[in-house]
Amino acid sequence: MSGKDFVVKSSFGHVRDLDKGNNGIDIQNNFKPNYVVTPDKARVVKDLKDTMKKSEEVWLATDEDREGEAISWHLCEVLGLDPRTTKRIVFREITKSAIQSAVASPRNLDLDLVNAQQARRVLDRLVGFELSEVLWRKIKASLSAGRVQSVAVRLVVDREREITKFEVETFFKVKASFPVEMGNEKKTLLIAESDKRFAVESDAQAFLEKCIGTTYKVHNITVKPGSRKPAPPFTTSTLQQEASRKMGFGVKRTMIAAQRLYEAGLITYMRTDSTNLSETALTEIAQNIEQTFGAKYVETRRYKTKNDSAQEAHEAIRPSYIENKSIHNQDKDQEKLYELIWKRTIASQMANAILEKTDIDIAIAAHPGQFLRASGEVVKFDGFLRVYFESVDDEEDDTLDTLLPPVTVGQPLKLNEMTATQRFTKPAARYTEASLVKKMEELGIGRPSTYAPTISKIMEENRGYVVKESRDGVKRNYKLLTLKADKITGDVMSENTGASKNQLFPTDMGMLVTDFLNEHFDKVMDYHFTAEIEKEFDIIADGNLEWTKMISSFYNPFHQTVEETKENAARASGERVLGIDPASGRSILVRLSRYGKPIVQIGKTEELGEDEKPQYANLKPGQSLETIELEEAFALFALPMDLGEYEGLAVSVNIGRFGPYVKFGDAFVSLPKGEDAYSVDLDRAIEVIEAKRKSEAAVGMFEGKGITKGTGRFGPFIKWNDLYINVPRRYNLETISQAEMEELIEMKVNKEANRYIRQWESEKISIENGRWGPFIKFGKTMLKLGKNKDGQNFTDDQLANISLEEVMAIIETQEPGAFAKKAKAPAKKAPIKKAPAKKAPIKK
């Protein structure tokens, strides 16, 4: 059998998923899943069925993990194949040899792996669906929760609170420098530190005072040989961590690039928790190292993953062809990631680096028994460091080749300068995407295929549980005592502290939801319990546990808790009373608004008169319901702030539902993203007003109507007669001419004229010309026209005369109940019309 005997087709991932809502799982029928072909895969399935009819046999070649096995099983179900006899091949790299080997030894589907995947999917749907419903009732509509995602949010919340509660301790650290002759009349400084810390300034001062006029000498020199081992080849987790440290990639960005590299046959499968390398790969890597660096650099290692649940049959992530040191495919992310994978793979099979560490102890005559120590580390043989050096979280990379000046035991030293610097203890660092993955892996929460989607989900804007931000630090003073020329001076210095770059912060909503779930669903939120669930999936995959029994043992008590919480739990708003407003005598409190925004409020409902409403103000970015103090809350009521007048009209600044803005007369002008409304003065407000005017000023006329230009979400545009017209790259928006604008307008008008074949505006239904032919547009949804009664494509005449009833019938086949839903729409809109009234308290 040769390659020409095969036709290769792709399912592009899963073709089926659980039906939506309550139809997805038949809980009463032993949790039977109800799978449906997803709408976007209908054409794919039809194409696969058509190809199958022309084929003698179907082989399945999806990925080797549980998701891949499940995809194969779903294809069997959709295509009518017998999963017990259909040939299944697996390979971890898209190379000729790997595929030929797989074709030579096909197997059958592993239904235990399929059941493990089904168990995860069903359990996650049940937990997510029911927990989310509780959150909708008790906190805010549109929130979501999940078995793994909620625990991941809890990790971020717990770390933030650990940082908030951390009590900083101060101490003084002593450092000294000594000039040493290097020959040729050159000198260098020998830097040494005391291993003793001084808790208070007076102790540090006393230490320096005793050093006035004292002598120093080299007490001891210790030279110790040492070595460093290379890190193992990449797993999914370690690849995500190192790509973040070295290149600043988020986990999603890393996995997208890795997926493309795998699909191009450049690396092995990128979802793995194994550090194992095949014997063939080990041989090829050793040969490459010997040819490139020499035999002394080769040290073959067979790594075994420490994680008990790791699947050792898988390989670590490595280049498919080790001889390709780099790639050139015009995608910079892929090129960088490939180079990182190549270096890590090669380094893992190279010899240890041989080091020599030197410690010099300096005796202080005035302090017998206390020493200053200078340390240096020199690389004697670079080994794997020739290729790769692993980065570390929360620490600076170790400095190698730190040479110390030549000194001898007993050699007297002359003090250049000694300092006692005030330092401060630090809390644990906030999580980055990569360090959160590392923590999840350590706790056994999730698996390689779930890290990236979980972190992406908790950071989605509509959930608003976690944000990735870089925040400025704050100025902090510290004391510096300096002994020089037998005189001690004291200075107050300043430094920036607490700055963060691309770190994860929980939002107030994330904290509130975490607290609510901790209170009512402590078992689901428990780290250990979540890890135990993952182990049960592994037991199912091994064929030692029936998946429906595992679901049943979890779901029944969980569902009972859900019902009790819906019935008995109070609504949660995160309300916290800060104090009393001296002017009104009413409570000042913070809470989440009905829209999920953190606000400060003056006056509880019971403290107000019948027609009175509380005063509201929005919290600033970076402020939190948990940590804001009374004085900070008072300051927020400075808005709305009158700035003065411009051109005879009042100018003010405020923050509304959609962000900060300047009000000029009756006009509202949004401030640029990230600008602080509290810092806006009249001059800045005028700048914003004039910038808005400039952007809206006509730059030309066409048929008696003005043309304006601007830049929006989708790039530069011109606007004419309520038409927004994209400006292609071949035009320069800054220098666009009248003739060019007229050309673009005429093209747009002609396109719009030919856009509609039929249109029923009141029903929001139209038949339009599209890139691939006519289609139906229903509201914002685009639907297929399908075939006419004769099973043929509609002709132009048929479309020109088609009735509204016929079009509605076509829509109904693709969107069942579409018009029943539409009839109910006005009732849903009513609350939205009341929204402007909600703004009034903020503006008072």
Side-chain angles (χ1 to χ4, degrees), residues 110-113 115-116 535-550:
D110 187 334
L111 294 179
D112 291 328
L113 290 182
N115 289 335
K535 290 180 181 177
E536 291 191 26
F537 292 147
D538 295 336
I539 296 171
I540 294 169
D542 292 335
N544 296 321
L545 177 62
E546 189 177 334
W547 75 270
T548 53
K549 288 183 178 178
M550 178 261 181

Side-chain angles (χ1 to χ4, degrees), residues 286 314 352 457 513 525 625 695 796:
H314 293 183
N352 291 348
K457 187 160 288 188
V513 168
M525 296 292 284
L625 296 181
S695 69
D796 292 343

Side-chain angles (χ1 to χ4, degrees), residues 231-242:
F234 280 132
T235 62
T236 303
S237 167
T238 55
L239 176 65
Q240 291 170 353
Q241 292 169 49
E242 196 71 343

Side-chain angles (χ1 to χ4, degrees), residues 515-527:
D515 289 343
F516 182 86
L517 294 177
N518 276 336
E519 179 182 355
H520 299 286
F521 299 92
D522 58 324
K523 194 172 183 180
V524 174
M525 296 292 284
D526 181 71
Y527 300 141

